[in-house]
Amino acid sequence: MQANRRADTRPERALRSALHRRGLRFRKDHLLASVDGRPRPDIVFPRAKVAVFVDGCFWHSCPTHGRSPSTNLDYWQTKFQTNLRRDRANDTALRDAGWTVVRVWEHESSDEAVTAVLHALGMERH
């Protein structure tokens, strides 16, 4: 699993590029140490307090594309459940600290993801 990227995945880069083309500036893979659980969103708009996570279909159990490996089921079920619990805990901690959380799936188009981020930022789509 060392070859699996934690940051800078292709969907993250595509979303960041699309946001940057629209003139938006943000931090990437930014540790929010002041929030319980110390979440590390993929894209952060600190002033607007918007945290964006780009969730991989496999690792975050996408209802459309997520699948469970056929071997070592106990390990994978525990791994996926732990990921989901951490995601929910991070969402709750961020919201409790006054942040808006945006979660997009890796299979969503950049346009869909940008629309969700712009909505969270309170901006009209350009």
Side-chain angles (χ1 to χ4, degrees), residues 36-37 39 53 55 59-61 74-95 103:
D36 288 344
F53 294 90
D55 292 338
W59 296 106
H60 297 270
S61 302
D74 290 338
Y75 169 80
W76 287 108
Q77 286 177 341
T78 301
K79 175 68 176 160
F80 295 148
Q81 289 170 356
T82 301
N83 288 350
L84 291 174
R85 275 195 301 274
R86 185 189 61 242
D87 290 347
R88 298 297 82 79
N90 284 340
D91 291 353
T92 300
L94 284 163
R95 286 189 181 109
R103 286 198 174 267

Side-chain angles (χ1 to χ4, degrees), residues 9 12 18 25 38 45 56 59 66 74-75 92 98 118:
T9 63
E12 286 175 36
R25 300 302 177 256
R38 300 168 48 95
F45 295 90
W59 296 106
D74 290 338
Y75 169 80
T92 300
L118 291 175

